[in-house]
Amino acid sequence: EVGRWYRALEAGRLGLTPEIESMVRELVAGKKNPPEKLEAIYRFVSQSIRYVSISLGLGGYQPHRAAEVLQNQYGDCKDKHTLFAAMLSAAGLVAYPTLISTDLPIESSVPSPGQFNHLISVVPLGEEWLWLDSTLEVAPAGFLPRYLRGKQALVMLPNDSRLVETPKTSPIPDERRASLLGKIDMK
């Protein structure tokens, strides 16, 4: 029910414009395979479109049109996904909107949009799904922060919506190591 509700709000927002198509051609020029194209488009949306979240009224749920997001160069998580999905579509790829909560567990017996406070993207690549959060700005494609791992998320496929658990681990190492060499002077 929540998936159908969101899809209705998203309807007509992914429209391709000459500006979007031109930008995609520029971004994927010389890219030979789908993962390279996806990475180029993800990097652009993640790093060049500022993340600004102002949730007032219906704007807290309904994304802006992809063309508006590209023109304004900013948007919230829904807006960034909408532009990302439109751009991927122009490159022959697909991204599914995925609602998730950054803090509380989802109660599936009580469907409600209020349980979700974030939207990420899922891109099918062969038999695998690549999970992406374009609001992170500097993270590589496929990286989910720890607070989004191992959580229930509502993936909205074209004719179906289902709760799926996000990956528990990152395909990209997310640790830092430092080595210090020093000497203690006891004088």
Side-chain angles (χ1 to χ4, degrees):
E1 292 172 21
V2 173
R4 281 193 300 277
W5 169 83
Y6 183 79
R7 281 292 199 181
L9 289 177
E10 183 189 55
R13 304 287 168 159
L14 300 172
L16 293 178
T17 62
E19 294 79 14
I20 291 173
E21 290 175 329
S22 174
M23 179 61 71
V24 170
R25 278 192 300 277
E26 183 181 318
L27 290 170
V28 302
K31 308 293 188 259
K32 306 223 183 311
N33 58 50
E36 288 178 349
K37 293 176 183 180
L38 180 141
E39 178 69 39
I41 294 168
Y42 173 79
R43 192 174 326 109
F44 171 78
V45 173
S46 180
Q47 295 177 5
S48 299
I49 305 298
R50 288 184 317 270
Y51 175 60
V52 177
S53 179
I54 302 172
S55 300
L56 301 173
L58 190 57
Y61 296 104
Q62 186 173 45
H64 289 89
R65 296 182 191 288
E68 290 176 62
V69 180
L70 180 61
Q71 180 181 1
N72 295 335
Q73 297 287 296
Y74 69 85
D76 66 8
C77 57
K78 300 172 305 301
D79 299 331
K80 289 183 79 151
H81 164 79
T82 301
L83 177 59
F84 180 58
M87 294 178 89
L88 283 183
S89 172
L93 299 166
V94 65
Y96 301 124
T98 304
L99 289 167
I100 192 166
S101 174
T102 59
D103 47 14
L104 301 173
I106 302 303
E107 179 50 62
S108 61
S109 64
V110 184
S112 167
Q115 294 189 79
F116 303 98
N117 63 1
H118 194 46
L119 191 137
I120 60 176
S121 306
V122 170
V123 175
L125 287 175
E127 298 294 316
E128 300 294 317
W129 280 0
L130 185 62
W131 299 78
L132 303 120
D133 183 350
S134 60
T135 66
L136 299 177
E137 297 178 356
V138 295
F143 177 82
L144 285 181
R146 290 181 193 272
Y147 60 84
L148 294 179
R149 294 185 204 154
K151 298 192 88 171
Q152 291 289 308
L154 183 65
V155 178
M156 291 167 274
L157 304 168
N159 299 312
D160 183 28
S161 296
R162 62 179 102 134
L163 282 174
V164 177
E165 187 175 302
T166 61
K168 289 183 170 122
T169 60
S170 174
I172 296 131
D174 63 343
E175 64 181 52
R176 271 186 240 191
R177 292 182 186 215
S179 191
L180 298 173
L181 179 60
K183 188 172 169 183
I184 298 176
D185 187 352
M186 301 298 282
K187 292 183 188 177

